[in-house]
Amino acid sequence: MKRNRRISAVAVLALAALVTGTGAGFAAPTTPPATHAFDTAPATATAPTPSFQGTLPAPTGPYAAGEDVVHLTDASRPDPWVPSSGPRRLTVTMVYPAVPGTGTPAPYMTLAEAAGSIQHRKVPASSGVTPQNLSSVTTHAFDGARPQSGKYPLVVLSPGFEDPRMVLTSLATDLASHGYVVALVGHTYEDSGETLADGQTPPCAICDDPALDFDSVAAGRALDVSFVIDRLTHGNTAWPLAHLIDKHEIGMAGHSIGGAAAAATMIADPRVRAGVNMDGTFHPAPMPGQINRPFLMLGRAPYHSAGSPDTAWGQTWAALGGYKKWLTVAGADHTSFTDLDLLLEEAGFPTPPLSPERGVVITRAYVTAFFDQTLKGIHRPLLDGPSPNNPEVLFQY
């Protein structure tokens, strides 16, 4: 399956400088290209600030967000993309409810990950984006923070193709602040670099493959996620704070191919009780009877509205058997559901009609409400229908 890439020089340099990949390489052939305001900007578009200083929005819940990074090795299978590298290795950021005022500020990414992202897209030095300031984006997460007592549902997050796990940090910290443990999974060799346990940060091995089968990518991610859940919930766990996890309440959300992976994981692993696809084409669309648990489809209008060219969303809606919601967001682009547009704005680049701040607010609010309702059993009226406070959010069904 061929990927639909956005190749505007301004878009590639800007987006890559900040986020190590567009995530938009993943699209069905029948889906119109994702567009940003900067996709059609001339080469003389507004230059980035001389020195980029990024800040993500603070979490909105009562808890602080603690953070740990864990490294996992699945000895049961070779790496699907680079078998010669040995068994599948993953880097996972754990974000958890923490006591305010404890821990030290967590970096956005390692210097090697930041350098890899800049190199991946050949970002010029004149952009003002350096490994140092990219890695130092303010996250409002804290290394070594003291955890809140209790047990909390686990939510696994999977990013878009070519995007590292960090682009979902603002969502992860907000979920943690509202009482969730979050596992932010980096899928090795599928983006510009995840720093592994040995300190190596291998580049993407499949990003330039024009014949890449995205059904295989989604299925591989499902194996990654099930392995991560195993290591977090069974026996000698890979994370010292695993006692915080309520292993009976597990959800998954993903952006782009990560959203397709959420569906693939639910089909393969009954432990995942609720799923969210944020603006991703399904690979493949689930069949009737495969997912009878809660599922939220949250995408940009008009490309993921009812009757849109991406027919996989309509097929999936018809096939879903449990509690389900199909929402679209007016003015959004493909990356409105991540940190990306906000960081672009902070660097002085044009952004889509939906303000990046609103994109973050809407994503956080609806994803958290969905998991509150499906994993915690708390009714959230936000999901009942259109809200005057969120006029951009359109209920398709």
Side-chain angles (χ1 to χ4, degrees):
M1 176 168 292
K2 294 183 179 180
R3 287 165 288 159
N4 195 350
R5 295 187 178 278
R6 289 168 287 168
I7 58 174
S8 158
V10 174
V12 168
L13 293 179
L15 200 53
L18 300 178
V19 302
T20 81
T22 67
F26 155 66
T30 55
T31 303
T35 57
H36 284 80
F38 50 74
D39 280 338
T40 55
T44 56
T46 304
T49 53
S51 181
F52 166 70
Q53 297 295 327
T55 301
L56 302 181
T60 62
Y63 305 131
E67 180 178 305
D68 288 329
V69 176
V70 298
H71 300 281
L72 307 177
T73 299
D74 185 353
S76 70
R77 62 185 176 118
D79 190 277
W81 310 122
V82 185
S84 62
S85 68
R88 182 67 163 162
R89 295 176 295 167
L90 300 171
T91 301
V92 181
T93 299
M94 302 300 303
V95 191
Y96 57 91
V99 176
T102 63
T104 58
Y108 192 52
M109 57 177 69
T110 67
L111 279 171
E113 288 162 343
S117 71
I118 292 170
Q119 182 179 7
H120 182 65
R121 296 296 184 182
K122 299 179 175 61
V123 179
S126 60
S127 68
V129 180
T130 68
Q132 288 74 23
N133 59 33
L134 181 56
S135 67
S136 299
V137 167
T138 299
T139 66
H140 300 285
F142 296 89
D143 283 331
R146 190 165 80 244
Q148 296 281 349
S149 60
K151 286 188 175 293
Y152 305 93
L154 171 66
V155 174
V156 182
L157 297 182
S158 180
F161 187 67
E162 296 192 40
D163 291 341
R165 66 192 192 280
M166 305 82 173
V167 303
L168 297 177
T169 297
S170 61
L171 176 58
T173 56
D174 202 58
L175 283 167
S177 78
H178 287 277
Y180 292 88
V181 172
V182 181
L184 193 49
V185 180
H187 301 280
T188 311
Y189 296 114
E190 298 178 26
D191 60 53
S192 57
E194 304 280 347
T195 299
L196 302 174
D198 62 3
Q200 298 297 308
T201 307
C204 189
I206 60 173
C207 290
D208 296 321
D209 181 358
L212 187 62
D213 176 8
F214 281 96
D215 288 7
S216 296
V217 176
R221 290 193 176 199
L223 293 174
D224 286 348
V225 171
S226 289
F227 168 68
V228 169
I229 292 172
D230 287 344
R231 291 301 312 275
L232 292 176
T233 60
H234 290 151
N236 294 323
T237 64
W239 183 45
L241 299 180
H243 61 274
L244 297 175
I245 295 172
D246 180 350
K247 64 182 180 180
H248 301 294
E249 301 294 343
I250 299 174
M252 180 178 174
H255 173 245
S256 198
I257 190 65
T265 303
M266 289 188 72
I267 292 170
D269 194 332
R271 294 175 297 181
V272 180
R273 298 188 58 236
V276 180
N277 179 353
M278 297 181 290
D279 209 57
T281 297
F282 290 91
H283 282 283
M287 301 296 291
Q290 288 187 312
I291 299 179
N292 292 319
R293 284 157 281 156
F295 203 90
L296 168 65
M297 303 192 309
L298 177 65
R300 59 197 153 109
Y303 300 128
H304 285 134
S305 300
S308 70
D310 186 353
T311 58
W313 275 49
Q315 294 170 15
T316 297
W317 177 258
L320 294 172
Y323 173 81
K324 56 186 179 179
K325 291 292 178 180
W326 181 349
L327 311 180
T328 56
V329 183
D333 67 0
H334 187 55
T335 50
S336 293
F337 309 93
T338 72
D339 301 342
L340 312 191
D341 285 347
L342 184 65
L343 295 178
L344 281 172
E345 180 182 62
E346 291 174 340
F349 288 99
T351 52
L354 180 73
S355 78
E357 293 82 1
R358 286 295 297 158
V360 170
V361 167
I362 288 168
T363 301
R364 285 173 155 187
Y366 283 88
V367 172
T368 301
F370 177 76
F371 285 129
D372 281 353
Q373 189 149 309
T374 58
L375 298 181
K376 292 184 177 181
I378 302 171
H379 175 241
R380 294 302 186 197
L382 187 66
L383 297 174
D384 292 344
S387 165
N389 294 327
N390 299 293
E392 310 95 334
V393 179
L394 311 174
F395 280 67
Q396 298 298 312
Y397 289 104

